[in-house]
Amino acid sequence: MGGPPDEDPPIVLEMIPQDQSLNTKPKEIILTFNEYIKLDNANKNILITPRINKDEVIITALKNTLIIELNQELEDSTTYVFNFQKSIQDLSEGNPAENLKLVFSTGASIDSLKVSGSVNRYFPGRNDKIEDAIVGLYPIDDTTNVFIAPPYYLSQVDTAGNFNISNIKAGKYLAYAWQDDNNSLKAEYKSEAFDFIKDTITIDQNIAGLHFNLSKGDQNPINLLRSSTLGSNYTIVLNKTPNEVVLENEKMGSEIFYTLGDKRVNLYSQSVFADSIPINVNLKDSVGHEIDSLIWAKFEESDRKPEKLTISANSGKSFYQDLPIELTFNKPISNINFDSLYLSYDTASIINISPEMLSFKDSLRRDVLEINLLVPDSIPFEIFSVKAADSTFRDIEGQYNEVALSANYKKLKKETLTDEISGRIEGSEGPFIVQLLDSKGELKRESYLENSNQFSFRLIEAASYQIRVIEDTNMNHRWDPANFEERRYAERTFNFIDPETGNGNILVRGGWIVEDLVITTTPKTGIKSSEN
């Protein structure tokens, strides 16, 4: 009645069996507290090691008593740990019982070995929490793995990314870590970030400094589901969208072109052929799985009405002098009317766009058009618009754009720009992909360092930035996630962290020079050493 709030956690009065008990195989576990209790997501938050069948376990809170009905036979000569974390709370204020564990053995001794370490996450999402990650150990003779069944020993990762697994039996183990978003105690092939230690870990003494780097990548191999004629075109349907596409035929890039859609490759032909055309298809997914196949594509007359041609532009971009315009089409482009394509910067002034200013990002696709223009400072205007009237672009099926295009770009003044952000990378030999990101994590600039650890970004819009580095070990100019089947680690990523503030934000203003930034590498997956 109006007294001070209860800030004291519930206190255990009795445990059955008692903590550190030997030679016991309980059918149920009973904890009695000094006050009424409630449970917070007990199935997730109560960690039991080694592995038992949690589907058979019944957990009940009744007044001041917690009852765990095991409903299964425990293993012989095994140490069991029930880590209650913050699952048990007092009924009135929700104060959790802290550091509450019950340890007992079904044999004559308590296993006491420990494994501890840390977990990092490559490309974390805004809603990802490192404390949702789990580290697990599987005995070497276990036929399951992190994608099939829960681990034998496990630990939840704390908010600082650290973990500690205790009371481990001596032996040989495989170690995994994963972001357990669905609380299944196992990783999902497609949707959850994970990592693994390649080599068997022999635990015959305490191990500290075990490090994991979680990365997400769909581990299912890429498969060709079907291919068939679609109108006058030809479509290859896949189970996932490939990262790399190689199509080989003498007519590719001259008469036959392609576009890449969601889980499909669409082939277009300027000609009709009486016979099927053999095309060698080589596709590779993000984790390195590959298809190498031969298809026979048919391009024939069709009464099917072609899809309308659409255009989207990278409008809204800011620039200084070099104006990078990018137009994306839903189909390959066959012809451009340059009389109706130009850059406007006031009501009466234009810059004509000529063929030498244009290039297709991929000549086999012809669906992304890059227009490179140099706008000198002598033109005293801020807003520039690329204009294209209707019927400016004709696609491979003879369709013209029905809607006129107008996309705006903002020219920046040199005095408002940061002169330079520069620094070096320590702890790796590269090659490196160095990315300048804005405060929303969107890519603003990128450079590739093949034989250097020195980076520099010049003439940058004043704002707050972060710098991310990708260690491009296979030199394919993109980041590669882990491949579980090939036992290949993900390529490391690491960010600039200010040693004074502890965060990675770099605030710059017009005319500034920010130099001598030092970016240190993320530890490699495995047991930390001086080489990591």
Side-chain angles (χ1 to χ4, degrees):
M1 296 295 291
D6 178 13
E7 298 181 355
D8 296 326
I11 298 172
V12 177
L13 300 178
E14 184 181 22
M15 288 183 175
I16 304 176
Q18 293 183 4
D19 187 37
Q20 305 297 313
S21 293
L22 303 176
N23 298 311
T24 181
K25 277 192 177 182
K27 299 296 183 184
E28 65 179 16
I29 293 167
I30 301 173
L31 276 66
T32 304
F33 294 85
N34 65 336
E35 57 182 318
Y36 284 9
I37 61 168
K38 62 182 179 181
L39 294 174
D40 178 29
N41 199 355
N43 286 332
K44 174 188 176 183
N45 292 330
I46 299 178
L47 300 182
I48 306 172
T49 59
R51 177 175 61 212
I52 66 172
N53 186 353
K54 290 193 76 171
D55 291 338
E56 301 295 328
V57 176
I58 299 174
I59 304 173
T60 307
L62 181 62
K63 295 184 179 180
N64 67 331
T65 303
L66 175 73
I67 303 172
I68 302 176
E69 301 173 64
L70 298 175
N71 297 314
Q72 59 199 286
E73 188 74 16
L74 301 182
E75 296 182 25
D76 294 332
S77 301
T78 300
T79 298
Y80 284 88
V81 179
F82 287 70
N83 187 340
F84 296 96
Q85 303 193 95
K86 296 184 178 181
S87 62
I88 301 173
Q89 304 174 353
D90 65 29
L91 187 61
S92 57
E93 298 292 339
N95 299 308
E98 300 281 357
N99 303 315
L100 181 58
K101 284 186 179 181
L102 168 62
V103 181
F104 64 86
S105 175
T106 59
S109 62
I110 298 285
D111 295 321
S112 58
L113 294 174
K114 298 178 181 179
V115 172
S116 61
S118 57
V119 176
N120 175 50
R121 172 81 191 252
Y122 296 151
F123 301 98
R126 288 186 176 272
N127 297 321
D128 288 335
K129 297 178 180 178
I130 196 65
E131 61 266 31
D132 288 335
I134 285 178
V135 176
L137 300 175
Y138 293 72
I140 190 63
D141 57 357
D142 194 333
T143 58
T144 64
N145 61 47
V146 69
F147 297 108
I148 299 174
Y152 196 71
Y153 293 106
L154 65 96
S155 171
Q156 197 91 27
V157 176
D158 65 22
T159 54
N162 299 315
F163 70 90
N164 190 320
I165 306 176
S166 61
N167 300 100
I168 303 171
K169 182 183 296 186
K172 296 180 182 294
Y173 296 88
L174 297 175
Y176 303 86
W178 69 99
Q179 192 84 18
D180 192 31
D181 294 327
N182 62 357
N183 303 324
S184 67
L185 297 183
K186 57 184 179 180
E188 303 298 328
Y189 263 100
K190 292 184 177 181
S191 59
E192 292 180 343
F194 74 98
D195 197 14
F196 56 92
I197 306 296
K198 292 180 185 178
D199 302 320
T200 301
I201 298 175
T202 299
I203 303 177
D204 53 13
Q205 60 183 349
N206 293 340
I207 295 176
L210 195 63
H211 184 77
F212 295 90
N213 293 298
L214 307 184
S215 68
K216 186 183 293 186
D218 184 353
Q219 299 297 303
N220 290 310
I222 187 168
N223 288 314
L224 196 159
L225 301 181
R226 64 183 184 277
S227 61
S228 60
T229 300
L230 184 63
S232 59
N233 309 313
Y234 197 82
T235 297
I236 303 169
V237 181
L238 309 157
N239 67 324
K240 61 197 300 191
T241 304
N243 273 56
E244 298 179 18
V245 178
V246 177
L247 303 174
E248 294 179 335
N249 180 281
E250 60 184 11
K251 300 182 186 297
M252 289 298 307
S254 57
E255 294 182 67
I256 301 174
F257 303 88
Y258 81 95
T259 61
L260 184 61
D262 181 24
K263 301 180 182 179
R264 63 184 58 220
V265 178
N266 302 306
L267 296 169
Y268 298 84
S269 176
Q270 290 182 323
S271 307
V272 174
F273 299 99
D275 299 319
S276 297
I277 305 296
I279 299 177
N280 291 312
V281 178
N282 184 274
L283 308 174
K284 188 177 290 186
D285 65 18
S286 62
V287 299
H289 297 304
E290 192 171 0
I291 294 175
D292 199 348
S293 183
L294 176 68
I295 64 166
W296 292 83
K298 185 74 174 176
F299 301 99
E300 54 191 6
E301 294 282 0
S302 174
D303 294 331
R304 183 182 177 126
K305 188 175 182 181
E307 183 182 6
K308 291 183 178 180
L309 176 63
T310 61
I311 315 170
S312 61
N314 61 337
S315 59
K317 297 286 185 181
S318 299
F319 72 99
Y320 174 68
Q321 293 189 336
D322 293 311
L323 172 53
I325 300 168
E326 188 172 281
L327 306 181
T328 302
F329 303 86
N330 62 326
K331 291 186 286 182
I333 296 301
S334 63
N335 190 58
I336 300 171
N337 178 12
F338 287 93
D339 291 339
S340 57
L341 180 63
Y342 57 90
L343 189 72
S344 170
Y345 55 89
D346 71 7
T347 55
S349 301
I350 66 170
I351 299 174
N352 291 317
I353 296 176
S354 55
E356 61 268 17
M357 298 177 183
L358 273 59
S359 62
F360 284 102
K361 204 166 189 177
D362 187 335
S363 61
L364 296 184
R365 294 178 59 169
R366 296 178 65 93
D367 61 344
V368 179
L369 182 65
E370 297 176 324
I371 306 174
N372 294 295
L373 283 168
L374 179 65
V375 181
D377 288 342
S378 58
I379 301 178
F381 289 90
E382 184 178 275
I383 302 300
F384 291 76
S385 301
V386 62
K387 303 279 190 179
D390 61 278
S391 301
T392 298
F393 301 100
R394 181 179 184 271
D395 69 32
I396 198 169
E397 295 185 292
Q399 302 295 300
Y400 290 92
N401 62 298
E402 296 179 358
V403 179
L405 171 71
S406 179
N408 295 330
Y409 302 85
K410 180 181 178 182
K411 188 175 187 298
L412 303 171
K413 297 179 180 179
K414 189 175 187 301
E415 58 267 24
T416 67
L417 303 178
T418 297
D419 285 349
E420 186 179 24
I421 297 177
S422 64
R424 67 185 185 277
I425 302 160
E426 293 185 348
S428 174
E429 298 300 320
F432 302 110
I433 303 169
V434 186
Q435 299 177 327
L436 187 70
L437 311 173
D438 65 13
S439 58
K440 296 179 181 178
E442 295 179 358
L443 180 64
K444 306 303 290 186
R445 297 273 191 93
E446 183 175 282
S447 66
Y448 194 81
L449 306 179
E450 188 169 343
N451 299 304
S452 173
N453 68 338
Q454 305 282 334
F455 64 87
S456 174
F457 297 103
R458 299 191 68 251
L459 298 178
I460 305 160
E461 190 173 0
S464 180
Y465 295 98
Q466 296 180 344
I467 298 177
R468 178 171 62 210
V469 177
I470 297 170
E471 193 177 54
D472 188 28
T473 53
N474 62 1
M475 302 179 69
N476 67 352
H477 291 250
R478 62 178 174 85
W479 176 75
D480 293 290
N483 185 311
F484 180 73
E485 182 179 306
E486 296 179 5
R487 310 299 285 175
R488 187 185 70 238
Y489 291 141
E491 290 179 323
R492 282 195 296 175
T493 74
F494 26 93
N495 296 62
F496 167 75
I497 301 296
D498 189 322
E500 295 183 1
T501 64
N503 65 51
N505 296 324
I506 305 168
L507 181 63
V508 295
R509 303 190 186 282
W512 283 19
I513 295 177
V514 179
E515 56 188 355
D516 296 328
L517 299 180
V518 178
I519 302 177
T520 56
T521 57
T522 301
K524 295 179 181 178
T525 294
I527 299 176
K528 289 184 185 178
S529 68
S530 58
E531 295 181 354
N532 276 358

